[in-house]
Amino acid sequence: MRRLPILLAATAALMMPAIVSAQPQPPAPQAAKGPLLSLSVSESVNSAPDMATINTGVQTRAMSAKDAMAQNATQMDRLIAALVKAGIARKDIQTSGINLNPQYDYSDRTDGKGPRFIGYEASNQLTVAVRKLDSAGDLIDSLVAAGATNINGPSFGIAEPDKLLDQARTKALKTAQARANLYAQATGFRTARLVSISEGGGFAPPPMPMMAMRDSAAAAPQTKIEPGEIATSISLNVQYMLEP
């Protein structure tokens, strides 16, 4: 009879881990109260740009690759010097492409003649950030005077678009909620509750115009640049639950 308390204690000890390890279970997820509505919404904010990007460069030809590249380097030095003199910071001048290719004349193909080699063409292109738009026209003129053989641009932009992007986000969210409420009411539901959101889009500049070259020897008015306005836009993909 003395062994009974010992057996009872051992049995209680074996049962304790099961009691201690028991944890409350999380509540089961609630079933959806209504259908899900997916929307894509885009909004933009227009503003005057505060910077522009211009692509420029020089092309040279010579009978040897070495001479073509040497001539190109000389003209490019003059081009970069003109940019620096105009107040463009070195950090805003970036090489965007260097090319060297043989050139052939294909015009005479009579009697089975092959293309005629006419030399090498070297090109060096720069991407330039212009932060003083009122001097952009004068800058283009100075590039032409310094020997630029091609100019593309300008492409206008916003240096720090964060505030404009936030304004566009606010507009997009309001538009999405209003549209979701419309769907809810039109289909017999009371409210539309936002359940997910993802973002896309960003700064949307207008198409970049092409700047045609002109004869530097001819008298002509200075190049005029009109920045106008650009749109800073945001696209949202949102999902709402329609609830009764």
Side-chain angles (χ1 to χ4, degrees):
M1 296 299 292
R2 295 180 179 179
R3 295 180 178 178
L4 182 58
I6 297 176
L7 291 175
L8 291 174
T11 303
L14 291 174
M15 294 177 62
M16 286 183 64
I19 297 173
V20 173
S21 62
Q23 298 292 331
Q25 298 298 317
Q30 297 182 354
K33 296 182 179 180
L36 293 177
L37 171 66
S38 298
L39 297 173
S40 295
V41 179
S42 297
E43 287 290 353
S44 61
V45 176
N46 291 338
S47 63
D50 58 9
M51 67 171 295
T53 301
I54 295 176
N55 298 310
T56 186
V58 294
Q59 292 177 318
T60 53
R61 281 189 179 184
M63 291 307 295
S64 72
K66 180 179 180 180
D67 289 343
M69 289 296 290
Q71 293 175 22
N72 193 279
T74 299
Q75 289 189 223
M76 182 56 67
D77 286 344
R78 291 199 294 266
L79 200 62
I80 294 175
L83 288 168
V84 173
K85 183 178 179 180
I88 303 298
R90 286 278 182 174
K91 67 182 181 66
D92 291 330
I93 305 172
Q94 184 178 58
T95 298
S96 55
I98 297 177
N99 295 281
L100 175 67
N101 296 291
Q103 302 296 304
Y104 296 91
D105 180 7
Y106 294 89
S107 61
D108 186 3
R109 304 303 298 271
T110 60
D111 300 328
K113 291 182 179 179
R116 181 174 63 89
F117 174 72
I118 57 175
Y120 287 90
E121 182 178 86
S123 66
N124 193 333
Q125 305 299 313
L126 297 175
T127 299
V128 182
V130 182
R131 303 185 186 278
K132 296 180 179 179
L133 293 184
D134 55 353
S135 62
D138 293 336
L139 177 64
I140 290 175
D141 291 337
S142 65
L143 291 175
V144 175
T149 57
N150 60 278
I151 295 177
N152 298 324
S155 177
F156 295 105
I158 303 293
E160 296 181 359
D162 289 348
K163 291 183 179 180
L164 295 173
L165 287 171
D166 285 345
Q167 293 178 28
R169 290 183 182 103
T170 301
K171 289 181 63 177
L173 286 171
K174 290 181 178 179
T175 298
Q177 186 66 60
R179 193 172 299 173
N181 290 339
L182 176 63
Y183 276 104
Q185 295 169 10
T187 54
F189 292 88
R190 184 175 59 86
T191 61
R193 178 170 60 86
L194 180 65
V195 294
S196 70
I197 182 170
S198 62
E199 180 179 302
F203 171 70
M208 184 172 65
M210 303 297 289
M211 301 298 296
M213 301 303 298
R214 66 172 189 262
D215 184 358
S216 60
Q222 292 182 333
T223 301
K224 301 297 182 183
I225 300 296
E226 296 295 338
E229 287 190 340
I230 57 175
T232 302
S233 64
I234 280 292
S235 296
L236 299 181
N237 296 313
V238 292
Q239 198 171 52
Y240 290 85
M241 181 178 290
L242 304 185
E243 298 179 335

